[in-house]
């Protein structure tokens, strides 16, 4: 299959391009498109055969449920029978935006979408291309990150093409995303809201609005891993082995004759660098924005090891730390 890459203006998406992409979605085909977090691989969320194509293109384990992307709260309510107060509060405050809500699913929502479970994950994205595409398609759009399963999420169209060329018919290229890491996933189907995946929207912002949210022990908590398979370790990983460390570790590895990439945020300056370096901003949102691009770039440098400096153990860094933990798993 030939993969067409269609350039599209992120702020004022061309109606012709949107119409063409929406027609593909309606006919059960896949379209990769930009959202404010990462690029998504879109399919009609109500079509079992379209969802099966997503799993096939990604090589994703069948049980992993997908996020249904909607264009309005009304459309969200077509997928769930319950709309608890906490969902309403969060939606009013953070939608459209990088927040995914897990709710009890309505009868008839395909098991293929929800991984057979009785909940459904829903997000109302802010990106104009995503919004226009959902509106024009007239159906909720299931969209995991547009990468092969287990590899890095795409923050630009070239990353999608690198992973999925020949496997999907169309990529809408709206340029690099503004967010950089995935949405925050909050389970509001139970008695207490729980964090299932830290992400672009910080827990601090969320707790300001709804009070304390239950937190999983970040990695290796199997109960939560089962509840949200996105919490399985070894996810969001570059092909190059990644370890956590500092300049001391970099030097040790250089002594062993290894080719090293170093991702850090602490602005160490050295005259004779013998490693490939990416210095990221020392602020969580800006860091998140640059992280996947830095990993993608280092991944193409044919390095033996990427050393990544872990940011502080603070709530504001949860999403970034989570991605770095998984990249190293
Ligand atoms: O930012 C994002 O969320 C991006 C863009 C494209 O919107 N999408 C994304 O999708 O990251 P994906 O499929 O790569 O990750 C979906 C996450 C996974 O962690 C999955 O386990 C969780 O959401 N999830 C989906 N449905 C769920 C459900 N019913 N219950 C619990 N977790 C669910
Ligand atoms: Mg993903």
């Amino acid at each position: 299959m030939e993969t067409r890459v269609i350039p599209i203006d992120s702020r004022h998406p061309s109606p012709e391009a949107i119409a063409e992409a929406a027609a593909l979605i309606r006919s059960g085909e896949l379209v990769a498109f930009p959202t404010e977090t990462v690029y998504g691989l879109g399919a009609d969320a109500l079509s079992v055969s379209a969802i099966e194509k997503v799993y096939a293109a990604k090589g994703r384990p069948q049980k992993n449920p997908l996020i249904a992307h909607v264009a309005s709260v009304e459309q969200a309510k077509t997928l769930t029978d319950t709309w608890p107060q906490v969902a309403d509060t969060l939606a009013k405050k953070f939608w459209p935006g990088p927040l995914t809500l897990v709710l009890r699913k309505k009868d008839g929502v395909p098991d293929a979408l929800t991984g057979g479970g009785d909940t459904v994950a829903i997000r109302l994205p802010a990106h104009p291309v995503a919004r226009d595409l959902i509106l024009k398609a007239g159906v909720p759009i299931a969209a995991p990150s547009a990468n092969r399963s287990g590899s890095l999420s795409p923050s630009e169209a070239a990353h999608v093409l690198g992973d999925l060329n020949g496997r999907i018919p169309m990529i809408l290229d709206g340029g690099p995303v503004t967010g950089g890491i995935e949405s925050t996933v909050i389970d509001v189907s139970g008695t207490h809201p729980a964090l299932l995946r830290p992400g672009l929207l910080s827990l601090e912002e969320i707790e300001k609005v709804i009070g304390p949210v239950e937190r999983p022990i970040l990695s290796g908590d199997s109960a939560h891993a089962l509840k949200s398979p996105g919490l399985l370790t070894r996810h969001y990983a570059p092909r190059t082995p990644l370890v956590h460390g500092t300049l001391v570790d970099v030097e040790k590895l250089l002594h062993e004759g290894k080719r090293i990439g170093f991702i850090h945020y602490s602005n160490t300056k050295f005259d004779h660098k013998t490693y490939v370096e990416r210095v990221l901003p020392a602020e969580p949102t800006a860091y998140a924005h640059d992280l996947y691009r830095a990993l993608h770039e280092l991944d193409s440098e044919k390095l033996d090891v990427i050393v990544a400096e872990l940011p502080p153990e603070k709530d504001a860094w949860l999403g970034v730390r989570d991605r770095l933990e998984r990249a190293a798993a």
Side-chain angles (χ1 to χ4, degrees):
M1 173 190 307
E2 192 211 340
T3 301
R4 290 166 58 214
V5 181
I6 312 283
I8 190 161
D9 186 327
S10 261
R11 268 185 269 170
H12 305 286
S14 123
E16 291 75 27
I18 292 290
E20 209 182 329
L24 277 173
I25 297 281
R26 272 201 309 271
S27 71
E29 278 303 330
L30 308 184
V31 175
F33 62 97
T35 81
E36 69 277 28
T37 58
V38 298
Y39 273 73
L41 179 58
D44 179 347
L46 303 177
S47 159
V48 174
S49 62
I51 293 168
E52 276 165 1
K53 285 184 191 166
V54 171
Y55 288 124
K58 280 182 69 84
R60 175 177 243 194
Q62 205 72 9
K63 275 205 199 108
N64 221 341
L66 306 178
I67 298 171
H69 295 67
V70 296
S72 65
V73 169
E74 286 61 49
Q75 197 174 33
K77 288 178 183 168
T78 64
L79 300 169
T80 176
D81 330 285
T82 56
W83 188 252
Q85 185 60 48
V86 62
D88 205 55
T89 307
L90 288 171
K92 284 205 170 99
K93 177 78 184 170
F94 298 113
W95 278 3
L99 172 69
T100 296
L101 297 177
V102 171
L103 291 144
R104 301 198 66 79
K105 77 163 192 173
K106 200 173 242 177
D107 277 352
V109 173
D111 281 343
L113 178 70
T114 64
D118 54 7
T119 58
V120 60
I122 309 176
R123 175 160 108 81
L124 202 167
H127 197 293
V129 170
R131 183 199 58 206
D132 288 5
L133 182 62
I134 301 162
L135 279 174
K136 187 74 187 172
V139 286
I141 295 185
S145 49
N147 52 276
R148 298 297 298 270
S149 193
S151 64
L152 283 173
S153 296
S155 57
E156 50 191 89
H159 301 157
V160 181
L161 192 65
D163 249 23
L164 297 176
N165 193 9
R167 305 176 73 88
I168 59 174
M170 185 184 283
I171 301 171
L172 293 175
D173 180 358
V177 299
T178 53
I181 63 171
E182 295 83 352
S183 63
T184 304
V185 182
I186 301 278
D187 184 353
V188 290
S189 69
T191 40
H192 295 291
L195 174 71
L196 296 184
R197 178 179 71 181
L200 192 59
L201 179 65
S202 78
L203 202 53
E204 196 189 351
E205 290 283 309
I206 294 170
E207 290 188 326
K208 262 192 230 159
V209 180
I210 58 166
V213 168
E214 281 179 25
R215 300 138 190 249
I217 297 160
L218 281 179
S219 28
D221 180 330
S222 54
H224 273 93
L226 284 179
K227 246 193 137 183
S228 190
L231 294 177
L232 288 172
T233 48
R234 183 76 201 172
H235 208 89
Y236 314 110
R239 284 181 292 272
T240 316
L242 184 145
V243 299
H244 302 148
T246 60
L247 196 59
V248 178
D249 305 290
V250 171
E251 277 164 354
K252 233 184 272 169
L253 289 160
L254 287 171
H255 267 289
E256 293 169 17
K258 300 255 166 62
R259 281 180 49 79
I260 302 300
F262 185 32
I263 293 195
H264 64 95
Y265 61 95
S266 49
N267 253 330
T268 342
K269 283 215 167 62
F270 288 93
D271 289 342
H272 304 290
K273 285 195 192 109
T274 48
Y275 51 89
V276 187
E277 162 181 77
R278 288 293 177 281
V279 187
L280 300 189
E283 189 281 315
T285 308
Y287 185 112
H289 178 262
D290 294 351
L291 175 61
Y292 285 142
R293 183 208 298 244
L295 288 173
H296 275 284
E297 285 172 1
L298 291 181
D299 223 7
S300 62
E301 292 270 355
K302 299 198 170 67
L303 302 164
D304 296 311
V305 182
I306 297 170
V307 178
E309 177 188 26
L310 270 183
E313 261 182 81
K314 294 208 177 114
D315 273 7
W317 286 98
L318 269 180
V320 163
R321 284 182 60 96
D322 172 75
R323 302 310 186 273
L324 287 173
E325 300 278 0
R326 284 171 216 299

